[in-house]
């Protein structure tokens, strides 16, 4: 297609999304549940075909991809339950009160309402769960927002096939045309995020790409919210007592976590802080497997090789396990430095390496863990391997809670459960919107905005705010 034709196709899809919003927004929240269920069922039926395509394009393996499909279907059905219950609307009713201490209070009623069409940028490393029909799409549709997905170049065939499954499911269920669509190409994504018909963006990927899109979204004549998940090293802090009592176990679990999925998880523990006196670094050469691991695509291979080389060549860094990082299928690499070096140049040493590499940081005094916690930037996760009687634990947790969206105790960050209390976000550069999450039921809140209605008669109020509560949802009334 020519550039002009591509622009016309995008304009047509965004026009359709804007039109669909007028219909989708009028539907009561519980009425969206059958459409989410329809997508989930259609994906289940098409799973064998889609998994085969995904494996051909990503080499992630049938088992991993089948499990990811289960997660994708579960997310859709979980959001169907969320909209049916209606708690997410935050319906709040303050009835008129002439005796209110601040003066007579009018009748005020507040509820969350959808933003409008959303552009979702699919991720490379989760071709189902963070892609065309993934969590961003599910939560935006549940919120009442049409979705235009910018497909990832790492799995174009899968993106097209998944989109066709979703299209067919929605058409069969009677959804409005334009409720969901997909576009391809970097320029289409950039054009969509600045289009006035788009009211929010969601992204999972690199800091560079995410920041560029964030700048476009917020630099528009009408700035829009941009929910970007960008980068994280997910540091793990090992106390002296934990190293002494569980050293070999910690090393083994760390290796399993940072090499899981060839290190291509945004929650990979990229930094492990250990006491120098425990000798845990000496255990790593025997614990790290030397097998080759397949990365997702050539772009990631190139970026990985460059990132490992730069970190390896940084002053104060030595090689503990020399993986073949420049090979098409690299083996794991482990580098080592000291907390003194890290504190002296955190910008150079606290950096994400997307792939099977990690940096071990040895400290001399346990108090250095607190100093490191103070200098690290925003993270998706921060973990502590400790003992219940560690004197440093409470202060370390307090510091890490200020830097990360999820703080773990004696667990590893690579598992991200899709549930109600999950928080998958964090201060920049982990995300561009630290008050939100991209995993779990609270992800729906990204695509909603509050509206207060003052003094309206009952029949003109949104159903969620009427005294009769025709939707049967939770209401906070005073």
């Amino acid at each position: 297609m020519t550039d002009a034709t591509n622009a016309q196709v995008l304009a047509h899809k965004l026009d359709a999304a804007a039109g669909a919003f007028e219909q989708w927004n009028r539907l009561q929240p519980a009425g969206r549940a059958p459409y989410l269920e329809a997508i989930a069922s259609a994906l289940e039926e098409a799973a064998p075909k889609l998994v085969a395509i995904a494996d051909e394009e990503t080499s992630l393996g049938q088992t991993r991809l089948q499990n990811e499909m289960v997660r994708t279907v579960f997310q859709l059905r979980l959001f169907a339950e969320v909209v049916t219950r209606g708690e997410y609307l935050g319906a709040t009713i303050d009835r008129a009160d002439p005796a209110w201490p601040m003066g007579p209070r009018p009748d005020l009623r507040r509820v969350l309402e959808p933003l409008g069409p959303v552009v979702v940028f699919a991720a490379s490393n989760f071709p189902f769960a963070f892609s065309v029909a993934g969590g961003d799409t599910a939560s935006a549709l549940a919120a009442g927002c049409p979705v235009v997905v910018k497909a990832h170049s790492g799995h174009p065939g899968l993106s097209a096939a998944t989109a066709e499954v979703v299209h067919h499911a929605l058409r069969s269920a009677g959804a409005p045309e334009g409720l969901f669509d997909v576009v391809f190409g970097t320029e289409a994504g950039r054009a969509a995020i600045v289009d006035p018909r788009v009211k929010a963006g969601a992204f999972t990927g690199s800091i560079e790409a995410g920041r560029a899109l964030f700048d476009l979204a917020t630099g528009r004549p009408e700035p829009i919210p941009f929910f970007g998940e960008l980068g994280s090293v997910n540091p793990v802090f090992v106390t002296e007592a934990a190293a002494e009592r569980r050293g070999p176990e910690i090393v083994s679990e760390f290796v399993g976590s940072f090499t899981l999925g060839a290190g291509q998880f945004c929650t990979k523990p990229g930094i492990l802080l250990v006491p120098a006196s425990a000798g845990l670094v000496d255990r790593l050469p025997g614990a790290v497997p030397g097998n080759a691991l397949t990365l997702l695509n050539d772009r990631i291979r190139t970026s990985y090789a460059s990132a490992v080389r730069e970190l390896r060549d940084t002053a104060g860094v030595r090689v503990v396990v020399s993986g073949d990082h420049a090979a098409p299928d690299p083996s794991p690499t482990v580098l080592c430095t000291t907390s003194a070096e890290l504190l002296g140049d955190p910008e150079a040493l606290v950096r994400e390496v997307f792939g099977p590499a990690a940096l071990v940081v040895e400290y001399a005094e346990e108090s250095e863990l607190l100093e490191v916690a103070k200098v690290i930037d925003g993270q998706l996760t921060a973990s502590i391997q400790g003992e219940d009687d560690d004197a440093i634990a409470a202060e370390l947790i307090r510091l890490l809670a200020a830097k990360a969206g999820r703080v773990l105790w004696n667990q590893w960050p690579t598992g991200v459960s899709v549930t109600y209390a999950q928080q998958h976000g964090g201060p920049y550069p982990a995300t561009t919107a630290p008050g939100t999450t991209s995993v779990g039921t609270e992800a729906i809140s990204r695509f909603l905005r509050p509206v207060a209605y003052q003094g309206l008669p009952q029949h003109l109020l949104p159903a969620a705010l009427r005294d009769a509560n025709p939707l049967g949802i939770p209401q906070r009334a005073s």
Side-chain angles (χ1 to χ4, degrees), residues 145-312:
C145 299
V147 172
V148 175
V149 178
K150 186 274 175 186
H152 197 278
S153 59
H155 42 264
L158 175 65
S159 298
T162 303
E164 181 53 39
V165 171
V166 176
H167 276 136
H168 180 72
L170 290 174
R171 281 195 299 267
S172 299
E177 284 297 319
L179 180 62
F180 166 88
D181 219 321
V182 63
V183 296
F184 294 82
T186 300
E187 286 308 311
R190 290 172 62 90
I193 201 65
V194 298
D195 191 284
R197 288 162 288 201
V198 170
K199 301 305 179 184
F203 169 88
T204 299
S206 70
I207 293 176
E208 294 76 16
R211 182 53 195 256
L213 291 168
F214 172 80
D215 290 343
L216 289 173
T218 57
R220 298 169 22 146
E222 176 204 1
I224 59 172
F226 183 80
F227 306 103
E229 180 198 314
L230 309 186
S232 185
V233 299
N234 308 296
V236 180
F237 297 73
V238 182
T239 67
E240 292 174 345
E244 180 181 349
R245 299 173 194 176
R246 298 182 284 113
E249 176 186 338
I250 290 170
V251 168
S252 176
E253 292 175 353
F254 167 65
V255 170
S257 188
F258 95 79
T259 61
L260 184 67
Q264 298 171 112
F265 284 18
C266 55
T267 51
K268 181 198 80 174
I271 290 182
L272 181 74
L273 294 113
V274 299
S277 59
L280 298 190
V281 171
D282 296 335
R283 293 182 174 273
L284 284 163
V288 176
N291 56 301
L293 301 172
T294 302
L295 300 184
L296 287 161
N297 53 57
D298 288 339
R299 184 166 60 183
I300 287 176
R301 292 185 192 100
T302 300
S303 297
Y304 172 71
S306 176
V308 172
R309 184 172 59 252
E310 289 177 10
L311 189 56
R312 181 198 62 193

Side-chain angles (χ1 to χ4, degrees), residues 291-361:
N291 56 301
L293 301 172
T294 302
L295 300 184
L296 287 161
N297 53 57
D298 288 339
R299 184 166 60 183
I300 287 176
R301 292 185 192 100
T302 300
S303 297
Y304 172 71
S306 176
V308 172
R309 184 172 59 252
E310 289 177 10
L311 189 56
R312 181 198 62 193
D313 294 343
T314 301
V317 173
R318 63 185 176 90
V319 177
V320 175
V321 177
S322 182
D324 190 357
H325 62 274
D329 295 326
S331 53
T333 291
V334 179
L335 306 172
C336 183
T337 190
T338 66
S339 58
E341 294 283 356
L342 187 150
L343 291 168
D345 193 0
E347 186 174 346
L349 293 171
V350 183
R351 63 166 75 179
E352 182 181 30
V353 177
F354 194 75
L359 178 68
V360 179
V361 180

Side-chain angles (χ1 to χ4, degrees), residues 77-88:
R77 290 190 169 135
L78 184 62
F79 280 112
E81 294 178 11
V82 167
V83 296
T84 299
R85 290 196 303 269
E87 296 168 334
Y88 80 96

